Amino acid sequence: MKKDILHICFIALLFVMANAFQANADIKLPAIFSDNMVLQQQSQVAVWGWTKANTGVKVTGSWNGKSYSARSDDKGYWKVKIQTPTGGFTPYTLTVSDGKTITLKNILIGEVWVCSGQSNMEMPMKGYNQQPIEGGPEAIAHSSNSGIRCFTLKKASRIAPQDDCAGTWEIANPQTVPNFTATGYYFGRLINQALNIPVGLIHVSWGGSRIEAWMTPAALKDIPEKPVPQTEADIKVQNGTPTVLYNGMLHPIVGYGIRGVIWYQGESNREEPVLYVKMFDAMVREWRNIWEAGEFPFYYCQIAPYNGGRLNSGYIREAQSKGMLTPNTGMAVLMDAESPYCIHPPKKKDAGERMALWALAKTYGMDNIHYRSPEVQSVETEGRVMIVTLNMFGSTSGLTTYGKDLKNFRIAGENKWFVPATAVLSGNKIYVFAPEVPQPVAVRYCFDDASATEIFTIEGNLPVSSFRTDNW
């Protein structure tokens, strides 16, 4: 009985101390709001934080001197939306005050993108151990650019959504860029150069992570194969258990003003391609829903050819291509990565810049940029020959094999037995045949783990993805 009374008194004391702390709490901002940050241009961007309960807060940007007011709730949380101007390289300040003032310095207004996924997004410009970034040292040496900034979130796997994260905004230069996401850096660099505008990159990734770890419980409600953990003991894999990376890393930044998202993930889900299609669509739609920023663009990389795993990786690449059925998405094809024995291709410039081509064409309206790899438009049979017609998506310059023979086509009849085929490219059509298959019904191209594409667009040098015309 005496122990119970002492326990109750202890809990009451903690409650009183917590309330006293809150009553005297200084105004605080989450880590994502700090010196050197980039705010999304020409937008109503959210700014939020904590202070004493039921207290007035004013937020003022030096670009126009206008103050925006909010009042904290009974837990001290407040949020306000402020108008940002057209982007540019003039540094500004942002002041937040509840009587005590926080001043954030050297803020730029520009284009902000979230960079997320697993190790191929996480891979830094300095490379991994014994795994370099092609052209990385030269790019780092020439990286001084106050118009490119990166915020990298510290890894966190949590059972419940977190309010804050750890990380700092860093300005691009040879001291900081070695630790930037390489794919994100090359994406941001091209956007910065093409638009002549500051770019902010919010890097939130974890090597080896599964897509379900980045999803909310709401996004997983129709996917019973991926149960949401209920206790800490249910987190069996720190970077793979459903919802844990959303809770620990994405939730703290949800609502920050962004233009869109780039994504490089899929290797860890390569053995469940059918489910991946469903999860990818659900994740993208839910991110847009919780961000309350409309149907923002979501561009992503198809995984590159790689020898590994139990299931032919052609299936996950096919699943990823179906991601473009979700509105306002686009896929960068990496079938020329030339890294069959390393899951981390060194050609991160291709990965980042091919997603940037999508953004420049579809988000920023540069209509003359060729941004999309050709895809199968139709298939027909004429006797022993199957004719595959590719959709060129507006490109009129045609296709090339750079003088190489086509060796990665396979053809099958009703028996579903695929054999190597002879293939000839003419315009946007590919003629495929094999003497052993007098009545062909299906054709496959690079539909295995590691075969590299042989066909590229002349305009844009974009590779054709692996594909199949059957559903066997």
Side-chain angles (χ1 to χ4, degrees), residues 361-383:
K362 301 299 290 182
T363 301
Y364 299 113
M366 295 186 173
D367 297 335
N368 288 331
I369 287 180
H370 182 51
Y371 62 94
R372 185 169 183 170
S373 286
E375 296 163 22
V376 175
Q377 178 174 296
S378 64
V379 184
E380 56 185 318
T381 304
E382 291 186 2

Side-chain angles (χ1 to χ4, degrees), residues 89-163:
F89 296 94
T90 301
Y92 295 111
T93 61
L94 186 75
T95 60
V96 181
S97 177
D98 66 348
K100 293 185 177 180
T101 299
I102 296 174
T103 300
L104 305 182
K105 301 174 182 177
N106 197 26
I107 296 167
L108 293 184
I109 311 296
E111 291 295 294
V112 181
W113 289 80
V114 170
C115 313
S116 189
Q118 57 180 111
S119 56
N120 274 306
M121 181 62 81
E122 183 184 353
M123 190 175 189
M125 285 292 291
K126 65 184 179 184
Y128 288 143
N129 185 33
Q130 299 185 345
Q131 297 177 25
I133 298 294
E134 185 177 283
E138 182 181 4
I140 290 169
H142 293 91
S143 64
S144 291
N145 186 339
S146 64
I148 299 177
R149 290 148 185 225
C150 186
F151 182 95
T152 299
L153 279 86
K154 185 178 180 180
K155 294 175 181 176
S157 177
R158 300 289 184 268
I159 191 70
Q162 302 298 294
D163 292 330

Side-chain angles (χ1 to χ4, degrees), residues 139-445:
I140 290 169
H142 293 91
S143 64
S144 291
N145 186 339
S146 64
I148 299 177
R149 290 148 185 225
C150 186
F151 182 95
T152 299
L153 279 86
K154 185 178 180 180
K155 294 175 181 176
S157 177
R158 300 289 184 268
I159 191 70
Q162 302 298 294
D163 292 330
D164 204 356
C165 61
T168 57
W169 282 96
E170 293 187 313
I171 301 170
N173 60 57
Q175 291 292 103
T176 59
V177 166
N179 296 312
F180 278 17
T181 158
T183 297
Y185 174 73
Y186 283 119
F187 171 89
R189 190 180 73 170
L190 186 53
I191 298 297
N192 168 258
Q193 291 171 344
L195 301 181
N196 191 31
I197 201 165
V199 173
L201 305 169
I202 302 174
H203 175 214
V204 47
S205 64
W206 189 325
S209 60
R210 300 176 65 85
I211 189 172
E212 58 266 30
W214 298 103
M215 298 171 68
T216 68
L220 290 167
K221 64 181 175 62
D222 295 325
I223 305 176
E225 298 92 335
K226 303 295 180 180
V228 175
Q230 301 301 310
T231 68
E232 293 289 345
D234 295 329
I235 302 180
K236 304 301 183 183
V237 182
Q238 290 290 309
N239 60 351
T241 300
T243 75
V244 295
L245 300 189
Y246 165 78
N247 291 333
M249 299 176 70
L250 198 72
H251 187 267
I253 64 166
V254 166
Y256 189 90
I258 64 171
R259 175 64 70 191
V261 172
I262 60 171
W263 173 257
Y264 194 162
Q265 192 276 338
E267 297 88 348
S268 290
N269 293 90
R270 59 180 289 166
E271 294 178 0
E272 46 186 4
V274 174
L275 192 57
Y276 192 87
V277 176
K278 187 176 181 180
M279 289 193 291
F280 180 85
D281 179 73
M283 184 190 75
V284 173
R285 292 179 186 274
E286 178 65 3
W287 281 22
R288 289 169 173 168
N289 177 52
I290 60 178
W291 227 281
E292 298 181 344
E295 200 172 81
F296 56 71
F298 196 107
Y299 303 127
Y300 62 98
C301 286
Q302 184 187 54
I303 68 168
Y306 169 68
N307 266 317
R310 295 189 295 272
L311 182 67
N312 171 1
S313 63
Y315 290 103
I316 191 65
R317 291 195 297 269
E318 179 184 64
Q320 290 178 305
S321 69
K322 293 178 181 178
M324 287 189 287
L325 296 173
T326 304
N328 204 16
T329 59
M331 183 182 75
V333 176
L334 304 178
M335 291 295 296
D336 56 337
E338 298 179 347
S339 181
Y341 301 107
C342 180
I343 201 168
H344 303 123
K347 292 186 173 184
K348 291 297 184 283
K349 183 172 182 286
D350 286 347
E353 291 192 349
R354 285 174 184 169
M355 288 191 287
L357 293 178
W358 272 93
L360 292 173
K362 301 299 290 182
T363 301
Y364 299 113
M366 295 186 173
D367 297 335
N368 288 331
I369 287 180
H370 182 51
Y371 62 94
R372 185 169 183 170
S373 286
E375 296 163 22
V376 175
Q377 178 174 296
S378 64
V379 184
E380 56 185 318
T381 304
E382 291 186 2
R384 291 175 171 265
V385 179
M386 294 199 74
I387 305 169
V388 179
T389 301
L390 298 179
N391 186 340
M392 298 296 293
F393 299 106
S395 175
T396 58
S397 298
L399 298 166
T400 182
T401 66
Y402 291 103
K404 296 180 180 179
D405 293 335
L406 296 174
K407 298 180 179 180
N408 289 318
F409 280 89
R410 302 288 184 269
I411 201 168
E414 293 289 354
N415 63 0
K416 302 182 181 181
W417 184 261
F418 283 91
V419 300
T422 299
V424 177
L425 175 65
S426 178
N428 67 329
K429 297 181 183 296
I430 306 162
Y431 297 82
V432 189
F433 63 96
E436 308 96 310
V437 186
Q439 295 180 312
V441 297
V443 60
R444 292 183 175 184
Y445 175 62

